[in-house]
Amino acid sequence: MADRKRPKPGETREKLMNAALTLVGKGRHFASLGIREVTRQAGVVPTSFYRHFRNMDDLGLQLVDELGLVLRRMMREARANVSQADKLIDESVGIFITHAQNNRAFFMFMAQGLAGESRAVQEGIRSEMRYFASELANDLRRMKLAEHLSDADLDLTCDLVVRSVAFSLTDILGISPEDTYQEEQVRKRTARFLQLIFVGAANWNSHP
Amino acid sequence: MADRKRPKPGETREKLMNAALTLVGKGRHFASLGIREVTRQAGVVPTSFYRHFRNMDDLGLQLVDELGLVLRRMMREARANVSQADKLIDESVGIFITHAQNNRAFFMFMAQGLAGESRAVQEGIRSEMRYFASELANDLRRMKLAEHLSDADLDLTCDLVVRSVAFSLTDILGISPEDTYQEEQVRKRTARFLQLIFVGAANWNSHP
DNA sequence: TACTGATGTGTACAAGTGTTCACTAATGTG
DNA sequence: CACATTAGTGAACACTTGTACACATCAGTA
């Protein structure tokens, strides 16, 4: 009689992960979250936590995996919406910022994790960024937009692009989601960062 | 008789700040530190904390101020050691990485704070970065290395440079201080990032 | 149908938390 | 010298924390 309903398998697991994300979205840092706090937010008894995660680090790792899915979805959308090469940067940045606003908590978690206290989470996020950069390099190759660059230099360029965009995260997440003016500023500035990088890449000599 | 010695004024304050830094240097995240934990590490009774700080956020803010001093000292050294323009990037990156290694805890705190939970700390670090970027812009102007760029575009470039270097922080701090090979890799890669940016700036048209 | 494993719940406990209070010794100022 | 201020102490408070244990309920399988 203590059992209210019979939840679908994995439901509580999701509830817990969402609870952690919610707290992060409210401004809390993931490293400062406790098991009890998360279970409370999830509306679940503390003991349930251990049915799904060994500790908070474990939960963090599983969040990184989900973050990967979000990023891939975003990348797919970006690829589908690429119209012409000259609008490529602006549109991609736009898609990124939109996703960042729509998945605020996820991206906050990502920004936090880069300097977080779990080495594993750190490495996971880093790995997602590498994957992102390599996909970007593939796209640029396919679109024949970087034919004069060696593989290593193209890789370098894409890495820098991804880092710059990632850093813009801290700009976006720092402003309120309703402040469309500031959002526009960040959007423009990020786009100009990328233009600057691409001008650099275009004039780069891979065999000096 | 309970008073062991009569400590110099501000001594305990320093002990507390160093204790927090020490814990951060050991891999802990600042947001997860507690007052008792810090005072314990400092070898001080918990109540003493309140003589100097209102809460942990307050301590964080004061750490940001000290961080500013570290950064300024670093900048001064960089300016003194600038030999020729063509070695400028490599030498500056070298100085930065050396400082990052020598003040590991400080820079970890900085990396954490960028996505930390205290808005004030976040803004403080951001402000330090802006200052850094503007000083860099001044230097480049003075050395007549960016005469074709508008003020706004030079500002953009320097901002991107500072962001890229700051991001490299997470690379450096992620590797062990003894791993000179990996450190050399980060050093080289960071330098190439900056070269790429400067090539972009050199070919940038401020009045298109 | 009976058994088994996964997932949920409630209770309990020792340890750790932030903060308050009253007290004391040293320091600097009139 | 007397006195207010500052910076330290220890004891106590009401909570919160992570984790362990025993138990209940479901789903699937033999």
Side-chain angles (χ1 to χ4, degrees):
Chain A
M1 59 174 154
D3 254 354
R4 333 184 142 278
K5 307 272 175 81
R6 43 241 135 306
K8 278 180 279 186
E11 190 181 340
T12 306
R13 184 197 203 87
E14 259 191 53
K15 271 204 277 188
L16 287 169
M17 294 173 77
N18 284 336
L21 275 184
T22 302
L23 290 169
V24 167
K26 281 183 189 167
R28 300 289 314 280
H29 196 291
F30 183 80
S32 76
L33 299 182
I35 289 179
R36 281 190 114 102
E37 197 178 3
V38 171
T39 56
R40 199 183 311 130
Q41 166 78 30
V44 164
V45 93
T47 350
S48 285
F49 184 90
Y50 297 98
R51 300 290 183 196
H52 304 278
F53 313 100
R54 311 208 354 255
N55 46 45
M56 283 300 286
D57 274 8
D58 190 20
L59 193 155
L61 272 179
Q62 311 218 25
L63 275 181
V64 172
D65 290 345
E66 274 210 26
L67 174 67
L69 299 180
V70 174
L71 291 179
R72 266 148 248 243
R73 214 179 310 140
M74 184 175 88
M75 205 155 53
R76 213 173 310 132
E77 176 175 342
R79 272 203 263 252
N81 286 33
V82 63
S83 51
Q84 308 114 334
D86 62 326
K87 295 265 182 186
L88 194 146
I89 290 182
D90 286 332
E91 288 179 358
S92 300
V93 170
I95 291 173
F96 175 75
I97 293 194
T98 302
H99 266 79
Q101 296 286 29
N102 291 347
N103 301 279
R104 226 143 196 284
F106 253 122
F107 283 86
M108 282 195 182
F109 172 72
M110 172 172 166
Q112 291 180 357
L114 270 170
E117 63 182 358
S118 160
R119 185 60 57 98
V121 167
Q122 217 169 120
E123 200 42 55
I125 292 178
R126 210 160 266 274
S127 149
E128 289 295 336
M129 286 180 58
R130 270 197 302 273
Y131 176 75
F132 211 85
S134 77
E135 287 295 296
L136 175 58
N138 284 342
D139 283 2
L140 292 184
R141 274 261 184 272
R142 198 175 316 124
M143 297 161 87
K144 307 209 187 298
L145 284 175
E147 298 199 283
H148 68 296
L149 287 181
S150 73
D151 279 358
D153 288 336
L154 177 58
D155 178 64
L156 186 84
T157 305
C158 293
D159 192 8
L160 183 54
V161 165
V162 170
R163 281 161 180 251
S164 303
V165 174
F167 210 112
S168 292
L169 257 184
T170 59
D171 298 326
I172 305 164
L173 300 176
I175 64 179
S176 114
E178 292 89 14
D179 193 340
T180 54
Y181 171 73
Q182 285 231 267
E183 179 185 312
E184 183 63 18
Q185 295 302 112
V186 174
R187 188 192 304 269
K188 278 195 204 156
R189 197 164 181 82
T190 306
R192 259 182 288 157
F193 282 150
L194 300 197
Q195 272 152 16
L196 189 55
I197 295 172
F198 281 123
V199 169
N203 294 88
W204 187 263
N205 183 2
S206 270
H207 307 286
Chain B
M1 59 173 149
D3 255 354
R4 332 186 143 276
K5 308 268 177 82
R6 44 238 140 306
K8 278 180 278 187
E11 189 181 341
T12 306
R13 185 198 203 85
E14 260 192 52
K15 272 203 276 188
L16 287 169
M17 294 173 78
N18 284 334
L21 275 184
T22 302
L23 290 169
V24 167
K26 281 185 189 169
R28 299 289 314 278
H29 196 292
F30 184 80
S32 75
L33 298 182
I35 289 179
R36 283 189 114 103
E37 197 179 3
V38 172
T39 55
R40 199 182 313 129
Q41 166 78 31
V44 164
V45 94
T47 348
S48 285
F49 184 91
Y50 297 97
R51 299 288 183 199
H52 305 278
F53 313 100
R54 309 203 2 249
N55 47 43
M56 283 300 288
D57 274 8
D58 189 20
L59 193 156
L61 271 180
Q62 312 219 25
L63 276 180
V64 172
D65 290 344
E66 275 210 24
L67 175 67
L69 299 181
V70 174
L71 291 178
R72 266 146 247 244
R73 214 179 310 141
M74 183 175 90
M75 205 155 54
R76 215 174 310 132
E77 177 175 341
R79 273 204 262 252
N81 286 32
V82 64
S83 51
Q84 308 114 334
D86 62 328
K87 295 267 183 184
L88 195 145
I89 291 181
D90 288 331
E91 287 177 359
S92 300
V93 170
I95 290 173
F96 175 75
I97 293 194
T98 302
H99 266 79
Q101 297 284 29
N102 292 346
N103 302 281
R104 225 143 198 284
F106 253 122
F107 283 86
M108 282 195 182
F109 171 72
M110 171 173 168
Q112 291 179 358
L114 270 170
E117 61 181 0
S118 160
R119 185 59 57 100
V121 168
Q122 219 169 121
E123 201 41 56
I125 292 178
R126 211 160 266 272
S127 148
E128 289 295 337
M129 285 180 59
R130 270 197 301 273
Y131 176 75
F132 211 86
S134 78
E135 286 295 295
L136 177 58
N138 284 343
D139 284 1
L140 292 183
R141 273 262 184 270
R142 200 175 316 125
M143 297 160 89
K144 309 210 187 295
L145 285 174
E147 300 199 283
H148 70 296
L149 287 181
S150 73
D151 279 357
D153 288 336
L154 178 58
D155 179 63
L156 186 84
T157 305
C158 293
D159 191 8
L160 184 54
V161 166
V162 170
R163 282 159 180 252
S164 303
V165 173
F167 210 111
S168 292
L169 257 184
T170 59
D171 298 326
I172 305 163
L173 301 177
I175 64 179
S176 114
E178 293 88 13
D179 193 341
T180 54
Y181 172 73
Q182 285 230 269
E183 179 186 310
E184 183 63 19
Q185 296 302 111
V186 173
R187 186 191 305 267
K188 279 194 205 159
R189 195 165 182 83
T190 306
R192 260 180 289 157
F193 282 148
L194 300 198
Q195 272 152 16
L196 189 55
I197 296 171
F198 281 123
V199 169
N203 294 87
W204 187 263
N205 184 2
S206 270
H207 306 285

